[in-house]
Amino acid sequence: MPLQLFNTLTRRKEEFVPLHPPSVGMYTCGPTVYNYAHIGNLRAFMFEDLLRRYLEYKGYAVRHVMNITDVEDKIIRTVRETGRTLADVTGFYTEEFFRDLDTLNIKRAHVTPRATETIPGIIQLIETLVAKKHAYVADDGSVYYSIRSFPEYGKLSHRKLDEQVAGARVKQDEYAKEQMADFALWKAWDEADGPVRWDSPWGPGRPGWHIECSVMSMIHLGETFDIHCGGEDLVFPHHEDEIAQSEAATGKPFVKYWLHNAHLLVEGKKMSKSAGNFFTLRDLLAKGWTGREIRYALISCHYRDPLNFTMDGLQAARSALQRMDEFLLKLQDMAGWGQPALPTIPAAPVGRAALSAPFEAALDDDLNISGALGVLFEFIREANKRVLSADESTGILATWQKLDQVLGFGLPVQSEVPAEVQQLVAERQAARKTKNFKRADEIRDQLKAQGWLIEDTPQGARAKRI
Ligand SMILES: [Zn+2]
């Protein structure tokens, strides 16, 4: 079955057909780096990671671009309130952000351009929009996009342009649906901006938030590309504005598939600092949860369903991973992993019918992750009823490793057999070969005293912890 994805633009599931297969251009709106990312932010990056990993699993060559918003209203406010420099604030939180991604095993984008490093491109796009009469310069030197100049304005958020608001303007980066109005592409400098300013044809100022994503995505992925993602809170105004800017400037469709994840609640409530249910990744790590467990909890809910993030959910994630690990360690044991004397290379992965095929079928259906995880646990339940051979175990592990490229949980590591134990096992083998059974038994007893059991398998002897 071909991959189906829900496109916010058309409001239906569509077959995914990239513009230039096998290449896929994917743009994900990155963090605004004025603070640590909270788990609501991280949910979006987790969904995007699942999407990218699954596309790669299916053989697509994904080029993933994610911007870093390092100039924006909230950042300027932080700079003003803390007295730190813009570069100091944004540099610190950018590094922390990347650390969070690594902790959660989220793949970093191939390109992570910064807004402040893209100012010439931003100015150029605004000049094009002004020249094409899609933008105008206000008295203070700010430049606004005229939403009336783009009749399709509202097509992503499925809103009709209200003629009543014609001429209204909004300068701040974030605004509500009710505030549908001409929005700022370039914000003229004022005292509150302090030292944050760049020269432009319209005087000193700084770019608006929406224009930066149009510019950075088109620079790195071309004027029309495959996938644009973000949280549902970005549909309006951010993504609506991106479409208006890009399509008005190029006259071409901007993005083929728009994908948005639903919001996150914590213990059934909207996350807020005042409610005491506001979590960054470091808060959860400090409570003793691992990045792997948090990854499981964030990934295991379908991306278009609201995720109710709870401590019970984290506990369930922990148990689920334990169940997987127990099974996988048993397979590793059966397959003789961690036994250097026994290189077992699988002839072919097994479990296609019971494992990969239904796993893929679930994910092909708009990334139905709970279905895909259900396939894994059903497989574990069935496999636990039987005695698996070494070859079968090896084959299942090979399949599982492939599926884990999508899930990113990693396989548990078998406790290593120490070198001195391996040495004794080899010595015993040699003794047996020369029919020195007395010596062979001595070694066996010595290992037993150290807590190791020797198992003679058709492939040879191996040590196993008692
Ligand atoms: Zn963006």
Side-chain angles (χ1 to χ4, degrees):
M1 192 178 90
L3 173 61
Q4 307 266 327
L5 295 172
F6 185 89
N7 190 348
T8 309
L9 195 61
T10 56
R11 279 194 175 163
R12 58 183 177 85
K13 280 188 209 172
E14 289 176 21
E15 183 179 337
F16 177 67
V17 185
L19 297 160
H20 310 287
S23 300
V24 171
M26 171 172 166
Y27 186 86
T28 58
C29 286
T32 301
V33 281
Y34 69 106
N35 210 333
Y36 296 107
H38 59 65
I39 52 168
N41 304 135
L42 293 170
R43 182 194 189 188
F45 301 117
M46 187 65 73
F47 140 64
E48 292 155 357
D49 187 57
L50 175 65
L51 173 63
R52 170 176 160 188
R53 282 168 176 270
Y54 191 54
L55 290 169
E56 289 173 342
Y57 172 91
K58 288 186 84 77
Y60 292 114
V62 180
R63 181 170 165 79
H64 179 194
V65 179
M66 185 182 74
N67 66 304
I68 303 289
T69 297
D70 60 353
V71 56
E72 190 257 6
D73 295 349
K74 293 193 289 291
I75 299 175
I76 306 257
R77 198 171 60 221
T78 306
V79 166
R80 200 169 54 231
E81 286 169 2
T82 60
R84 295 160 73 186
T85 65
L86 184 81
D88 186 25
V89 170
T90 60
F92 176 80
Y93 288 113
T94 302
E95 281 312 306
E96 290 298 318
F97 172 70
F98 283 131
R99 249 197 352 194
D100 285 355
L101 295 191
D102 292 348
T103 303
L104 291 171
N105 197 21
I106 292 175
K107 288 189 177 187
R108 294 190 185 193
H110 302 104
V111 198
T112 48
R114 270 74 163 166
T116 55
E117 292 167 358
T118 319
I119 303 290
I122 291 172
I123 290 176
Q124 209 180 352
L125 189 68
I126 299 175
E127 282 185 307
T128 303
L129 289 169
V130 172
K132 291 191 166 185
K133 306 237 182 305
H134 287 289
Y136 58 92
V137 187
D139 291 343
D140 69 343
S142 295
V143 184
Y144 287 89
Y145 188 94
S146 162
I147 56 175
R148 263 194 307 176
S149 76
F150 188 68
E152 292 175 71
Y153 191 82
K155 69 179 173 181
L156 182 70
S157 53
H158 302 270
R159 295 169 53 79
K160 277 246 177 321
L161 186 54
D162 181 357
E163 287 300 323
Q164 300 298 314
V165 302
R169 274 182 216 157
V170 56
K171 194 173 178 184
Q172 68 265 36
D173 285 325
E174 290 188 66
Y175 52 94
K177 286 193 169 75
E178 303 70 49
Q179 279 178 281
M180 196 182 231
D182 291 356
F183 57 91
L185 301 170
W186 185 261
K187 303 180 181 201
W189 180 85
D190 66 34
E191 262 169 41
D193 293 342
V196 182
R197 55 191 277 176
W198 286 267
D199 288 330
S200 82
W202 317 284
R206 60 185 170 97
W209 171 37
H210 316 298
I211 192 75
E212 69 170 82
C213 280
S214 280
V215 174
M216 286 190 262
S217 59
M218 292 198 289
I219 284 177
H220 295 284
L221 296 171
E223 292 177 338
T224 303
F225 58 92
D226 297 295
I227 301 177
H228 196 313
C229 307
E232 64 183 2
D233 54 322
L234 297 186
V235 173
F236 188 91
H238 187 53
H239 291 162
E240 195 71 67
D241 291 352
E242 280 189 47
I243 293 176
Q245 295 160 158
S246 303
E247 298 194 351
T250 67
K252 296 174 190 163
F254 177 43
V255 170
K256 196 168 174 191
Y257 303 94
W258 285 91
L259 273 66
H260 295 96
N261 63 281
H263 57 279
L264 173 142
L265 300 168
V266 176
E267 306 288 352
K269 294 198 188 80
K270 192 171 187 289
M271 186 166 61
S272 76
K273 282 188 174 146
S274 54
N277 67 349
F278 184 95
F279 292 116
T280 63
L281 185 58
R282 51 180 42 217
D283 297 331
L284 295 170
L285 295 174
K287 284 176 181 286
W289 303 104
T290 66
R292 190 168 176 247
E293 288 159 354
I294 300 163
R295 178 180 177 88
Y296 191 103
L298 287 174
I299 213 173
S300 55
C301 167
H302 188 264
Y303 76 95
R304 286 196 292 118
D305 289 334
L307 166 59
N308 185 19
F309 191 88
T310 63
M311 293 304 129
D312 285 350
L314 278 169
Q315 188 57 53
R318 179 171 284 176
S319 307
L321 285 167
Q322 272 167 0
R323 212 150 23 114
M324 264 186 205
D325 287 352
E326 271 166 33
F327 177 66
L328 294 169
L329 284 170
K330 193 174 86 176
L331 289 183
Q332 290 179 26
D333 202 29
M334 295 300 297
W337 277 25
Q339 307 285 334
L342 297 177
T344 40
I345 295 147
V350 302
R352 171 85 211 152
L355 200 52
S356 328
F359 179 87
E360 289 165 21
L363 291 178
D364 279 339
D365 181 15
D366 195 30
L367 303 178
N368 175 4
I369 185 70
S370 27
L373 290 171
V375 168
L376 299 189
F377 286 109
E378 177 62 22
F379 185 85
I380 291 175
R381 197 161 35 244
E382 288 303 312
N384 277 337
K385 291 179 188 163
R386 301 185 290 126
V387 177
L388 301 169
S389 70
D391 281 351
E392 209 180 348
S393 301
T394 307
I396 294 168
L397 283 167
T399 302
W400 202 285
Q401 275 178 315
K402 188 143 191 289
L403 304 187
D404 189 64
Q405 290 169 8
V406 180
L407 301 170
F409 299 143
L411 267 64
V413 182
Q414 186 81 276
S415 59
E416 293 239 323
V417 181
E420 58 272 22
V421 173
Q422 286 172 25
Q423 171 99 31
L424 285 169
V425 172
E427 259 179 56
R428 177 177 168 273
Q429 286 286 78
R432 277 165 65 98
K433 248 191 189 147
T434 57
K435 303 212 182 306
N436 185 353
F437 295 112
K438 186 167 168 281
R439 176 67 188 141
D441 288 349
E442 272 172 24
I443 294 173
R444 189 196 57 206
D445 294 342
Q446 190 187 339
L447 282 171
K448 199 172 172 187
Q450 292 175 17
W452 293 90
L453 192 72
I454 295 188
E455 280 186 341
D456 291 300
T457 73
Q459 291 92 345
R462 56 200 186 94
K464 196 182 163 189
R465 203 174 264 293
I466 299 166

